[in-house]
Amino acid sequence: MNTNTPGGPSGLDAGAPEFEYVKWSPKFELGIPVIDAQHKTLVNLCNSFYQTLIQRKSDWKMPWEESLAGTLRKCVEYAMTHLKDEEKLMSACGYPGYAQHKQAHALFIKEILSTTEGFKDATIGTAFKFVKFLYDWILSHIAHDDKLYVPYVLDYYRKQHEGR
């Protein structure tokens, strides 16, 4: 498996069938098992989308849009479910940055829904840009923004456990 990602997406190896566009890293872990598991799934879906795109780019027998539609749909559906779960958790623990974080989620959802709706008219270049957008989101949002609510969630869990 090629997991060598020097400089992120610029170190592409299109011939590697299991190339990880986004390599899971401990820096993504929040210490909240359910959220960490969901984040890993989002990374895997991003990688799956990228792998399918690379395979389709080299095999033009099937229209690339058709081969990617299912993977894109899974990615969008799972992302929306995850964001709702994350927002419920932030709300429950009283995270003071909840409104701002929820707004960031809304902008992300708007972008992925826009991509989904316009996918029939997309070019392969647009599809690669979308994968880059997912990559950037994972690096900035999961690795930084999500870490801001962690102390509040862990404190909430601790209080819930002590109250038993």
Side-chain angles (χ1 to χ4, degrees), residues 82-107 109 137 141 145-146 148-150 152-153:
H82 162 69
L83 296 177
K84 286 178 185 174
D85 289 350
E86 197 174 77
E87 289 170 7
K88 287 177 190 173
L89 188 57
M90 286 187 288
S91 178
C93 75
Y95 174 55
Y98 170 71
Q100 184 179 0
H101 203 104
K102 186 174 179 173
Q103 180 63 30
H105 286 175
L107 292 172
I109 289 170
W137 172 266
H141 190 80
D145 298 350
D146 283 354
L148 300 175
Y149 69 74
V150 170
Y152 297 91
V153 172

